[in-house]
């Protein structure tokens, strides 16, 4: 059974990676809700001059203490806006860096291996039930992170729905392989 799970995980991860490629390149779900930075020519130099380190930046910045007056100032700035999150890298890099692609593939394979192991523990006799099991895990993943980001950080609704769809599609693709190769 271990060999079957390993092979199914490798193939399922590859199927998930291929499905992700299709959703980004053919269907452009990976671009839904993402916009270019307005007035980039003026904004980027200000970022470059003021942010030196890679990071995930939240603004307005959280208060440095729990003092009520600090909390009140932060709340007032938050209410007044703007608010946001910035993932920032001060140095450029190659678009579609091969290391990133390999990392994505490896993470997809790891996901498929874990889900394959879970599937091997389930007593689901039919192919359809096994496929639904794996695809449902994609729905759980799609609900777990993107919806929280939409709720707490204001990620666009269209982006959130596209991310959810990508997870369901990816896990569905992996599920086709896993449900075929892993049987009770």
């Amino acid at each position: 059974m271990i060999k079957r799970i390993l092979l199914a995980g490798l193939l399922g991860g590859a199927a998930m990676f291929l499905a992700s490629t299709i959703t980004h390149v053919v269907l452009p779900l990976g671009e839904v809700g993402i916009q270019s930075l307005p007035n980039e020519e003026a904004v980027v130099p200000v970022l470059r001059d003021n942010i030196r380190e890679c990071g995930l930046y939240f603004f307005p910045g959280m208060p440095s203490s729990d003092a009520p007056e600090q909390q009140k100032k932060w709340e007032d700035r938050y209410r007044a806006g703007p608010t946001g999150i910035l993932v920032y890298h001060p140095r450029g890099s190659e678009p579609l860096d091969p290391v990133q692609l390999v990392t994505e593939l490896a993470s997809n394979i790891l996901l498929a291996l874990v889900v394959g192991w879970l599937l091997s523990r389930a007593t689901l006799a039919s192919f359809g039930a096994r496929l639904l099991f794996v695809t449902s895990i994609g729905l759980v993943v799609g609900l777990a992170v993107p919806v929280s980001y939409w709720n707490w950080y204001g990620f666009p609704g269209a982006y959130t729905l596209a991310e959810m769809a990508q997870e369901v599609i990816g896990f569905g693709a992996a599920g086709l392989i896993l449900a075929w190769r892993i049987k009770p």
Side-chain angles (χ1 to χ4, degrees):
M1 183 58 110
I2 300 272
K3 285 183 185 179
R4 185 175 291 184
I5 293 170
L6 287 173
L7 179 60
L10 288 169
L11 295 173
M16 186 180 282
F17 183 81
L18 180 61
S20 178
T21 301
I22 291 169
T23 61
H24 278 79
V25 176
V26 177
L27 301 179
L29 286 178
E31 299 171 14
V32 172
I34 298 174
Q35 302 176 48
S36 293
L37 188 63
N39 202 12
E40 184 176 337
E41 295 78 18
V43 174
V44 169
V46 173
L47 293 172
R48 187 176 291 123
D49 290 344
N50 290 280
I51 305 174
R52 301 281 182 226
E53 298 193 23
C54 292
L56 177 65
Y57 295 90
F58 185 81
F59 59 93
M62 301 295 287
S64 56
S65 76
D66 289 337
E69 64 276 359
Q70 290 283 326
Q71 186 67 30
K72 170 88 170 79
K73 284 181 184 178
W74 177 81
E75 289 172 2
D76 290 344
R77 287 191 349 254
Y78 194 91
R79 283 185 192 100
T83 65
I85 295 176
L86 173 68
V87 178
Y88 184 77
H89 303 279
R91 289 161 295 285
S93 64
E94 287 299 317
L96 293 174
D97 186 326
V99 171
Q100 290 176 307
L101 293 170
V102 169
T103 301
E104 183 68 20
L105 176 60
S107 73
N108 291 167
I109 290 170
L110 183 59
L111 278 168
L113 286 168
V114 170
V115 173
W117 178 81
L118 291 171
L119 183 60
S120 75
R121 300 295 178 249
T123 55
L124 303 169
S126 74
F127 174 85
R130 294 189 304 275
L131 175 59
L132 182 60
F133 177 84
V134 175
T135 304
S136 296
I137 293 173
L139 180 59
V140 169
V141 170
L143 288 168
V145 177
V147 172
S148 289
Y149 287 179
W150 165 80
N151 178 50
W152 292 108
Y153 303 122
F155 278 41
Y159 172 86
T160 301
L161 290 173
E163 284 297 308
M164 291 172 65
Q166 288 181 95
E167 295 300 340
V168 170
I169 292 167
F171 276 83
L176 290 169
I177 304 293
L178 295 172
W180 167 56
R181 298 291 304 160
I182 301 174
K183 299 172 183 141

